[in-house]
Amino acid sequence: LRAHDGLPARLQFGGGPRALLRGIEVDAAAPLDLDPGDVLVIDGALRILVVDEERAERLWYLGADLIDSTDAVWRQAGDLVVRADREPTALIWSGEEFTPLVLRTDAQPGSARVMVEELRPVGDAPARYGESMGRSAAPDSAQFDDVAGVWRIVPPAPHDRSAGDLVELVVDWEGDVAQLRADGVVIGDRFWDGLTWRIDVTELAPGADLTLHIAPIASHSVIDLDASVRERVDAAGRLGAVIRVDRVVSSRWTSER
C-alpha cells in the first residue's frame, strides 16, 4: 500500500477480522492509520505493507519476491539478477522486513571519466529555427550544423567485457539540441532538459570515431523550458557546452540464494 507523503494510510475492515499491527492485535473494524514501514496482517492470510512514495518507486514485483532496488532487477534461470555499475544495495522483503539481497559478479563493472576535445565552438543561437502553429520548430540538419559546436570523445582504454554487460556514455551537457555521431552518422539525439543523457553504446565498434554536436540555447530563444532550466539559461545568456562525459559499464549481479 502506497502512502502519500505527509498523509497516513487509513484502512477499515468490515466483518470483524483478526488484525495484527506491529505484532499487536488491533480492532480492524475501526479506522486504522498506518505509517510507512507498518505491516498489517489480517486473519493470518492477508499481509499489507505500507511504503512511502520514494520506496514505492524502487519496488520490483517478481513472482513471490518483492525487491527494493534503484537498479534494474529481473529473474533468470531461477535466480534474481541485478544490473549495476557498482555493488548493488538491493533489499528483499522477508515477510517481516526488508533485508539485504546478497549478490555476486565475476565481471568488472565501473565508470571512468572520458576526455573530450573541442573541435569547433558553438555559434550564435537564433530566437527560433522556424515555427508551426505558434510553437518553435526543431532545427533542420543544415540549421543544426551551422550553429552546433563539436567535441570529439577520446576513446578510453580497452575494457574487458563480460556477457550481459551494458556500456553507456553518460553526458552532462548544456544547450538546445545534442547529437552523438559515430563515424559521422547520428546514433542518438536529445533536447536539453537539464538532466544527464545516457546513451547505450554497447554494440558500437571499439574504433568508432565519436563526436558530440551541440546547438546552443540563449536567453532570447523562444523555447518552453522547466523554470529551473530557464533560470540557468537566463543567468548565462547563452549555453552550449559539454560539461562531463563518463563511460559506465553495468554488469549482471546474481543472487546467492
Side-chain angles (χ1 to χ4, degrees):
L1 183 64
R2 177 174 181 164
H4 290 283
D5 291 342
L7 296 174
R10 175 168 292 180
L11 293 177
Q12 186 173 3
F13 294 84
R18 182 172 182 269
L20 294 176
L21 177 60
R22 307 183 197 97
I24 301 173
E25 189 163 350
V26 295
D27 180 11
L32 295 172
D33 286 343
L34 306 177
D35 297 317
D38 281 345
V39 179
L40 180 67
V41 182
I42 303 297
D43 289 335
L46 174 64
R47 189 180 301 270
I48 300 172
L49 167 66
V50 182
V51 298
D52 58 27
E53 292 188 283
E54 183 178 353
R55 168 161 273 174
E57 294 297 325
R58 303 194 307 262
L59 291 181
W60 302 75
Y61 303 91
L62 301 171
D65 291 317
L66 179 63
I67 310 297
D68 179 345
S69 173
T70 56
D71 302 298
V73 187
W74 68 93
R75 186 177 292 284
Q76 183 173 324
D79 292 324
L80 291 171
V81 181
V82 178
R83 192 197 301 278
D85 63 348
R86 73 278 178 256
E87 185 172 0
T89 56
L91 304 173
I92 186 168
W93 178 249
S94 69
E96 299 294 335
E97 61 182 352
F98 281 101
T99 60
L101 179 63
V102 180
L103 299 154
R104 61 175 177 79
T105 186
D106 295 323
Q108 300 179 43
S111 62
R113 186 164 186 172
V114 176
M115 301 305 296
V116 295
E117 298 175 348
E118 184 180 74
L119 302 181
R120 191 182 76 181
V122 296
D124 294 326
R128 275 179 165 167
Y129 294 100
E131 63 177 282
S132 176
M133 300 179 66
R135 295 180 62 87
S136 294
D140 60 30
S141 296
Q143 290 171 325
F144 178 85
D145 286 339
D146 188 48
V147 299
V150 182
W151 290 260
R152 178 175 176 267
I153 297 177
V154 180
H159 180 94
D160 291 333
R161 284 169 47 185
S162 301
D165 278 356
L166 172 68
V167 183
E168 297 174 292
L169 291 180
V170 180
V171 182
D172 191 3
W173 65 288
E174 297 173 324
D176 181 9
V177 188
Q179 293 180 351
L180 177 65
R181 300 182 186 181
D183 298 325
V185 178
V186 177
I187 61 172
D189 58 13
R190 182 182 177 95
F191 287 102
W192 188 51
D193 58 4
L195 303 177
T196 55
W197 179 22
R198 302 185 75 99
I199 312 149
D200 184 350
V201 295
T202 307
E203 301 302 324
L204 276 184
D209 182 30
L210 295 179
T211 51
L212 277 168
H213 303 246
I214 298 177
I217 191 171
S219 55
H220 61 259
S221 298
V222 185
I223 301 173
D224 291 330
L225 297 170
D226 180 81
S228 61
V229 177
R230 171 56 70 180
E231 288 177 3
R232 288 173 61 180
V233 176
D234 291 343
R238 185 184 73 169
L239 293 174
V242 177
I243 299 172
R244 180 183 176 119
V245 179
D246 289 280
R247 181 179 186 267
V248 178
V249 178
S250 300
S251 301
R252 294 181 180 184
W253 298 71
T254 306
S255 61
E256 296 182 339
R257 296 200 302 159

